[in-house]
Amino acid sequence: MVWLASVGVSRDSELPLTSQIQLAVKREISEGVLRPGTRLPSSRALADDLRVSRSVVVEAYGQLIAEGYLEAVQGSGTRVAGHLAPAPRVPTLLDEGRVPAVRWDLRTGGAVSAHFPHREWAGAYQRALRGVGRAELDYPPLSGVRPLREELARYLGRVRGVRTTPEEIMVVQGFAHGLALLCSALPRLGIATVAVEDPGLVRQHRFVREAGLPTVPVPVDGEGIDVRALARSGARAVLLTPFHQFPTGVTLSERRRAELVDWARRTDGYLIEDDYDGDFWLARRPHPLALQRMAPDRVVYAGTASKALAPVLRLGWLAAPQPLLAALERVRGERDLGAEGLTQLACAELLRSGALDRHLRRLRARYRGRREALGQAVQRYLPGTAVIGADAGLHAYLRLPPHTDESLLVAGALRHSVLVRGGREFVTLDRRPPPALVVGYAGLPTTALVDALRELGRVWAGQPHGRRVAARSA
Ligand SMILES: Cc1ncc(COP(=O)(O)O)c(C=O)c1O
């Protein structure tokens, strides 16, 4: 067995064997091939490998340790010294551009993982692993492992009213991956443009364009997407967030739902329903079911584990009508060999045992508490601001008093260690939307959330308009 492939010795060389090993290790370290923290083989293993006596390797290692290239770590052998190169920080999706260190991060996105159910996940993973035989260790089915598709069909029907079967579900690596697959499948059905909500998740729209499909922004109002404008766009597919529009938080009205289905039937088109936070209905009234149930032949339902569990899992699912499903399967077969299967089996186990239901119930109670605290803090610190879209999800849209300078407020907040996005960041159409803030409340405990709002209130009260309103309401 080769323990350290890039280190070799030659008996024809004039250099002693010890020096050859030292030089080779130094070269590999300086070229970054042997990375800081890499564990080196034991002196016995390397000596066997190089067919030299063990004392040669012991001497080489000793010298490299003395010179600071290697470190002897108690209980874990010899490693490349950690100080030699700073480990680069791995950027995440949230880090678009430079993200300053702040005390209060109110961005929407990954922070849900603060509540990941570690114990339940470990139990589910272990139970799943126990049932794994040779067949499960082979390449997973392209559409996802059967137990997960069965559990998802049951869960989505029960909780979101989705009309689907295991055969119509495709497991994907998060919605971002599902969207990329859809963008490759749609042209095979003659669909070459995708309409998107405006305001909306601009990053997602970029994914669509990068996949080669132009996007057409369609305005959103208090009922959801403007279906007349959609009809004028000429597109035959539209990407939507009907449950809780991102970022405005509007729930698509019954009237618009009917109009959309009608539009899709007339144009032989498809509605792509991004149900990213569909597990989080927080209001007391009955919660709106998936749009997909109104027209399973016209709607692709998309769900994700990113909000309910954690984005790191890169796990999502599509429930798609024929013939889109067939096109998706063809695309998948041409470009990958399926998604990682053990995570899928663990997720199936989490669904089967009811642990996911219990976890979500706990999360909803927690977010309800935060949402109420947010409402009270807004009333107190940002008078005249309307909280929109707080019936569901993990964020709220704060419509600020009309003359507030949104960008001044966002910049001022940052100076007070509050990182928050303004509503304009989500708009592409050439119009000036009313000033707003998009506040994610999943990542901060209630007290910190209230503190962050108090800081925002201070910055806002320091603005010319804020001073006037604050004086009136004092
Ligand atoms: C609007 C919207 N859709 C979908 C997602 C989830 O994407 P993914 O499943 O790729 O993590 C997010 C995550 O933040 C989102 O904000």
Side-chain angles (χ1 to χ4, degrees):
M1 156 148 196
V2 179
W3 292 102
L4 198 55
S6 49
V7 173
V9 289
S10 159
R11 278 164 216 286
D12 300 330
S13 163
E14 287 174 6
L15 280 178
L17 294 171
T18 305
S19 307
Q20 290 186 43
I21 296 172
Q22 283 175 43
L23 284 174
V25 170
K26 282 185 194 174
R27 183 195 62 227
E28 295 301 298
I29 291 175
S30 62
E31 290 179 6
V33 180
L34 287 179
R35 316 262 320 136
T38 303
R39 193 155 62 86
L40 295 192
S42 70
S43 52
R44 185 187 305 280
L46 186 59
D48 277 356
D49 216 18
L50 299 177
R51 293 179 206 283
V52 299
S53 86
R54 191 177 160 212
S55 62
V56 168
V57 179
V58 169
E59 193 187 334
Y61 276 11
Q63 193 59 36
L64 287 162
I65 290 169
E67 290 178 32
Y69 284 92
L70 301 182
E71 291 169 337
V73 184
Q74 191 76 34
S76 72
T78 307
R79 292 178 182 270
V80 176
H83 64 81
L84 287 177
R89 213 175 66 75
V90 181
T92 72
L93 253 187
L94 288 176
D95 298 345
E96 289 176 316
R98 203 174 63 82
V99 176
V102 289
R103 186 147 171 216
W104 298 285
D105 187 347
L106 296 178
R107 289 173 304 161
T108 56
V112 266
S113 31
H115 308 298
F116 186 73
H118 289 84
R119 203 164 40 87
E120 289 84 350
W121 180 260
Y125 203 93
Q126 229 160 25
R127 286 196 299 280
L129 214 48
R130 254 184 250 131
V132 163
R134 279 175 59 181
E136 287 78 15
L137 291 173
D138 208 335
Y139 288 102
L142 282 178
S143 290
V145 304
R146 179 89 198 171
L148 179 56
R149 286 185 289 124
E150 279 176 1
E151 290 302 334
L152 282 171
R154 289 187 192 115
Y155 177 79
L156 297 175
R158 172 168 65 84
V159 174
R160 303 294 296 118
V162 173
R163 297 182 207 273
T164 191
T165 63
E167 290 72 28
E168 290 162 319
I169 290 180
M170 174 175 276
V171 179
V172 291
Q173 289 155 354
F175 180 58
H177 176 229
L179 186 60
L181 291 171
L182 279 166
C183 289
S184 296
L186 288 168
R188 297 179 186 215
L189 304 179
I191 294 178
T193 308
V194 176
V196 294
E197 294 172 321
D198 195 303
L201 191 53
V202 175
R203 180 180 76 210
Q204 242 176 25
H205 306 169
R206 213 169 45 230
F207 289 170
V208 175
R209 289 193 295 277
E210 285 299 320
L213 300 187
T215 54
V216 196
V218 176
V220 169
D221 61 24
E223 284 192 64
I225 196 162
D226 178 343
V227 184
R228 281 191 197 164
L230 172 64
R232 285 195 298 273
S233 76
R236 280 174 50 220
V238 58
L239 176 57
L240 297 160
T241 44
F243 176 71
H244 190 228
Q245 203 274 331
F246 190 87
T248 64
V250 170
T251 296
L252 191 67
S253 72
E254 288 304 324
R255 188 166 58 134
R256 293 280 168 87
R257 283 169 192 253
E259 286 173 9
L260 274 168
V261 169
D262 195 41
W263 168 84
R265 295 231 152 92
R266 264 196 339 265
T267 56
D268 188 21
Y270 288 102
L271 310 171
I272 304 167
E273 177 173 23
D274 174 8
D275 199 37
Y276 66 105
D277 62 359
D279 290 308
F280 298 97
W281 184 251
L282 307 179
R284 297 284 170 210
R285 58 195 169 79
H287 99 238
L289 296 176
L291 173 65
Q292 188 268 5
R293 65 187 275 110
M294 289 175 69
D297 57 327
R298 287 288 144 205
V299 184
V300 187
Y301 173 89
T304 176
S306 290
K307 304 283 183 198
L309 288 167
V312 71
L313 297 173
R314 304 316 301 132
L315 190 61
W317 36 88
L318 304 175
Q322 290 285 357
L324 194 49
L325 186 67
L328 280 167
E329 280 165 355
R330 278 199 302 280
V331 166
R332 198 94 196 254
E334 289 162 14
R335 65 163 73 149
D336 68 47
L337 296 175
E340 192 269 304
L342 297 178
T343 297
Q344 295 183 45
L345 289 170
C347 188
E349 181 55 31
L350 214 59
L351 283 160
R352 192 199 58 76
S353 65
L356 187 69
D357 282 318
R358 291 190 289 277
H359 169 61
L360 287 171
R361 197 174 324 134
R362 283 193 298 270
L363 278 188
R364 281 191 294 265
R366 189 172 265 152
Y367 295 149
R368 243 176 230 130
R370 282 188 206 164
R371 178 184 71 127
E372 272 152 34
L374 176 77
Q376 287 161 10
V378 167
Q379 250 183 9
R380 180 156 179 207
Y381 300 120
L382 292 169
T385 297
V387 181
I388 299 174
D391 278 351
L394 296 78
H395 77 273
Y397 191 78
L398 305 189
R399 169 117 7 111
L400 298 159
H403 299 294
T404 306
D405 186 327
E406 180 190 300
S407 29
L408 215 56
L409 180 57
V410 169
L414 196 53
R415 283 197 293 279
H416 282 236
S417 211
V418 181
L419 184 53
V420 65
R421 287 191 169 126
R424 264 182 222 148
E425 278 194 45
F426 301 89
V427 171
T428 54
L429 282 173
D430 189 19
R431 63 193 158 98
R432 280 181 81 77
L437 295 177
V438 180
V439 173
Y441 50 77
L444 287 182
T446 305
T447 46
L449 183 65
V450 173
D451 289 346
L453 263 293
R454 194 192 52 232
E455 289 305 309
L456 273 174
R458 280 194 184 137
V459 180
W460 176 80
Q463 287 191 350
H465 176 71
R467 273 199 293 272
R468 281 199 303 278
V469 180
R472 269 206 303 277
S473 60

